[in-house]
Amino acid sequence: MYELIDLLQASKNYYFVDYVPYTINNPNFLELEEYFEYQYLSEFAEKIVRITLKVIYLYPCQIYLTAPDKIISDQEEFSFDVDIRNSTPEKIANAIRQVILTDFSSVQILFSNPEFLVSIGGGFSVTIYNLPKDMIILFEQLVNHEGLFLKNNV
């Protein structure tokens, strides 16, 4: 499973979710990003939870919470390196939320048909690898509905 995840993450074909519709080359933008992370990260987490839950109930997938990089207080309620797809929506949402807010691990959602990967890390890190062309519109709609933007890596 992790071999396939690593292979998909090595792809140059990926999209990412962002909170601005344009590319930033200004070094002063870091100040705004730090403000957003402090002020709006929990709101971003809730948006990603809603997007993710909608997609995992639409397509077959496996969901893995990777072994933690650091210890958090609620860690005992999480299962690591096992498929948690059959968990309740509340448990999956909590795992995604905690990863974004505390950056203690990552959530890897491996879709099988079609084969693509949604990788959720701490902070504003949400990347979709190998997204099929016929699914781009769906993801754009879901992401835009939450006031976010789907951007291609090129």
Side-chain angles (χ1 to χ4, degrees):
M1 166 272 313
Y2 279 116
E3 295 82 22
L4 181 55
I5 289 172
D6 290 342
L7 181 67
L8 289 169
Q9 286 180 333
S11 171
K12 296 187 186 322
N13 176 20
Y14 66 88
Y15 289 80
F16 58 97
V17 177
D18 205 346
Y19 52 90
V20 293
Y22 46 84
T23 303
I24 314 308
N25 292 324
N26 183 342
N28 294 330
F29 185 75
L30 182 58
E31 180 180 356
L32 180 61
E33 186 173 10
E34 288 172 354
Y35 171 75
F36 272 38
E37 192 161 320
Y38 172 76
Q39 196 67 32
Y40 297 109
L41 189 59
S42 61
E43 183 179 329
F44 178 82
E46 295 309 315
K47 292 177 179 192
I48 297 304
V49 163
R50 287 190 295 268
I51 293 166
T52 304
L53 289 176
K54 291 172 187 174
V55 174
I56 68 170
Y57 279 90
L58 188 58
Y59 297 104
C61 66
Q62 297 172 319
I63 303 173
Y64 298 93
L65 191 58
T66 60
D69 295 331
K70 61 184 177 183
I71 303 209
I72 64 164
S73 60
D74 297 342
Q75 190 165 319
E76 63 275 354
E77 70 183 73
F78 298 113
S79 299
F80 300 100
D81 298 322
V82 295
D83 184 5
I84 62 169
R85 173 57 189 92
N86 291 325
S87 298
T88 65
E90 292 83 7
K91 284 190 175 198
I92 294 170
N94 189 42
I96 293 168
R97 189 178 300 111
Q98 289 304 313
V99 162
I100 291 172
L101 295 175
T102 65
D103 194 19
F104 77 100
S105 178
S106 72
V107 176
Q108 303 299 324
I109 307 171
L110 186 57
F111 291 86
S112 55
N113 191 15
E115 189 175 86
F116 66 100
L117 174 71
V118 175
S119 181
I120 302 171
F124 296 107
S125 177
V126 179
T127 309
I128 306 157
Y129 297 93
N130 204 39
L131 184 63
K133 288 181 182 179
D134 61 338
M135 295 182 66
I136 293 170
I137 292 173
L138 171 67
F139 270 80
E140 283 177 336
Q141 289 173 336
L142 292 171
V143 168
N144 291 347
H145 181 75
E146 294 292 344
L148 299 170
F149 304 93
L150 185 67
K151 295 164 95 176
N152 196 314
N153 69 315
V154 289

